[in-house]
Amino acid sequence: MNIKKHVKLGLSALALSVSMHSVAAEDPIKVGILHSLSGTMAISESTLKDTMLMLIEKQNEAGGVLGRQLEPVVVDPASNWPLFAEKARELLEKEEVDVIFGNWTSVSRKSVLPVVEELNGLLFYPVQYEGEESSENVFYTGAAPNQQAIPAVDYLMNDIGVERWVLAGTDYVYPRTTNKILETYLKDKGVAADDIMINYTPFGHSNWQSIVSDIKKFGSAGKKTAVVSTINGDANVPFYRELGNQGIDAADIPVVAFSVGEQELSGIDTGPLVGHLAAWNYFMSVDSDANYEFIDAWVDYTGKEDAVTNDPMEAHYIGFNMYIEAVKKAGTADVDAVKDAIIGVAVPNLTGGYATMMPNHHITKPVLIGEIQDNGQFSVVWETPSTVAGDAWSDFLPDSKDLISDWRKPLKCGNFNVVTGTCGGKADVASN
């Protein structure tokens, strides 16, 4: 036996193995970006695509994570809900991304949900939603109803003295479920059924004349009236324009919106809308060093001095930084390791505090109510004294009030019934 030759072959094999391992270690972490760049939701979602590209660019400039760069993979689901599922599958199976940041509407999220669960993907969802869901594969960095809708109604009722309520929304799962929660909540507070008006319109609705006229008539009954709006996408532009056309003043019938932020207001004359409200967890006008740094970075990235920031952008900022910290903590981008590592991770938000990922895959957030100014910004008129943890399951729906979510071992369940001591299984079983 030629021992010298044998040793040389062994050393060559070892060197090849080390070399291959080094190359593998330097493979990029692939980040899927699943936002509509065309269609009715592009007005809101295209900015989130750019937000993710900026965050990835800055992370790469800082050295990436675990010695690996991040590689964005952008697709356009085009405001087409079934196409969201197809594009999610493309990202996970063909592109083999490690994580997805995406969606705006709940119907698009629910389209993607079975895909990320089947293929064991990770989805960070950055927009306020109706709750009634907790998936092991989804991290909900937008507001649950107890972090937006319920506090907004409390503010209108307690601070403004509202007695009649118009619940106006786009016709899909988020407005319908949120309004179901709010209707129950209002009735529990003693509001009569006759003092609640509910209206739904399709995506992209543009002819608001008769509906706004109905709202005006409903508000003329001698009781303080407010509109709680879950209208989504580009339908907001003609809606607010028609409010102005019909002389609906915020002093008479205030509108509090859950899906209108700085980005949506940048496309319309806000003069007639001064005084109307929005409930979010972040406004561009927030006074904090972290916010000013983020705004400066965004202006530099876009090259536009008048570029605006908004709440879902902050949610992506938080979710992205949580993901980076979880990868560091796990020492790998492996999906299961990241899922375990991210619970309890805390990162700075843009309002001057911290956001923490809770065991139910929702985060802690402050709640802010802002008043529209004539420059398209919001002045904060009310906020919670501290952050609020998001509830996956509403206390105001009979099928949900006994459910909790905890993705830690040994429970590891998204809808555990504390009365029966059983796990329901499906992520959104209580809402079906």
Side-chain angles (χ1 to χ4, degrees), residues 56-352:
I56 290 168
E57 181 180 287
K58 287 198 164 296
Q59 188 66 37
N60 284 338
E61 288 172 356
V65 59
L66 301 182
R68 300 168 66 184
Q69 292 283 285
L70 288 89
E71 177 185 325
V73 182
V74 179
V75 294
D76 178 15
S79 306
N80 180 318
W81 318 138
L83 189 58
F84 266 91
E86 294 177 29
K87 290 297 184 180
R89 187 172 294 276
E90 175 186 322
L91 286 171
L92 291 168
E93 286 189 330
K94 180 183 175 183
E95 300 292 346
E96 297 183 339
V97 300
D98 297 282
V99 61
I100 297 173
F101 290 80
N103 300 89
W104 183 293
T105 69
S106 285
V107 65
S108 73
R109 187 194 69 256
K110 286 188 177 294
S111 178
V112 167
L113 180 62
V115 177
V116 295
E117 291 186 332
E118 173 199 343
L119 301 176
N120 195 30
L122 291 178
L123 172 66
F124 283 78
Y125 176 62
V127 183
Q128 85 291 342
Y129 85 119
E130 70 281 359
E132 308 310 294
E133 181 181 303
S134 180
S135 170
E136 184 179 5
N137 297 85
V138 181
F139 298 96
Y140 307 82
T141 57
N146 72 303
Q147 295 173 307
Q148 185 187 38
I150 296 295
V153 165
D154 284 343
Y155 170 78
L156 291 171
M157 186 178 288
N158 299 329
D159 291 50
I160 307 297
V162 172
E163 298 179 280
R164 301 200 93 194
W165 304 83
V166 179
L167 308 182
T170 302
D171 193 6
Y172 74 107
V173 62
Y174 161 61
R176 284 192 172 273
T177 306
T178 299
N179 287 342
K180 186 178 178 183
I181 292 169
L182 290 180
E183 185 179 11
T184 301
Y185 184 71
L186 289 169
K187 288 179 177 178
D188 287 348
K189 291 286 189 178
V191 176
D194 290 345
D195 287 327
I196 302 173
M197 169 184 167
I198 302 176
N199 179 266
Y200 295 103
T201 48
F203 279 98
H205 188 71
S206 59
N207 185 4
W208 288 94
Q209 189 171 355
S210 62
I211 295 170
V212 170
S213 178
D214 289 343
I215 291 170
K216 192 172 183 178
K217 183 178 178 181
F218 185 78
S220 65
K223 294 181 178 179
K224 185 66 176 178
T225 303
V227 177
V228 178
S229 170
T230 47
I231 299 166
N232 263 259
D234 55 8
N236 276 295
V237 175
F239 171 66
Y240 277 93
R241 186 178 294 127
E242 187 60 33
L243 290 176
N245 290 345
Q246 296 198 28
I248 294 183
D249 189 274
D252 300 320
I253 304 178
V255 177
V256 60
F258 300 159
S259 297
V260 172
E262 293 84 350
Q263 180 66 28
E264 290 74 20
L265 291 180
S266 66
I268 60 176
D269 173 18
T270 56
L273 305 182
V274 171
H276 288 298
L277 305 164
W280 289 103
N281 311 102
Y282 162 85
F283 289 111
M284 184 176 178
S285 59
V286 165
D287 182 13
S288 77
D289 290 341
N291 187 36
Y292 296 137
E293 289 175 10
F294 183 75
I295 293 169
D296 287 344
W298 180 239
V299 168
D300 288 345
Y301 182 80
T302 61
K304 299 177 181 177
E305 286 297 324
D306 60 349
V308 298
T309 59
N310 62 23
D311 183 284
M313 291 173 67
E314 190 220 22
H316 262 344
Y317 168 86
I318 291 169
F320 179 77
N321 288 329
M322 283 184 165
Y323 175 73
I324 294 299
E325 290 304 312
V327 170
K328 290 178 183 177
K329 183 178 173 183
T332 175
D334 173 76
V335 167
D336 290 326
V338 171
K339 283 190 292 190
D340 289 339
I342 200 169
I343 293 175
V345 165
V347 299
N349 58 30
L350 295 180
T351 56

Side-chain angles (χ1 to χ4, degrees), residues 132-133 393 403 415 424-432:
E132 308 310 294
E133 181 181 303
W393 304 99
L403 300 181
N415 49 11
K426 286 180 66 179
D428 58 351
V429 68
S431 64
N432 291 338

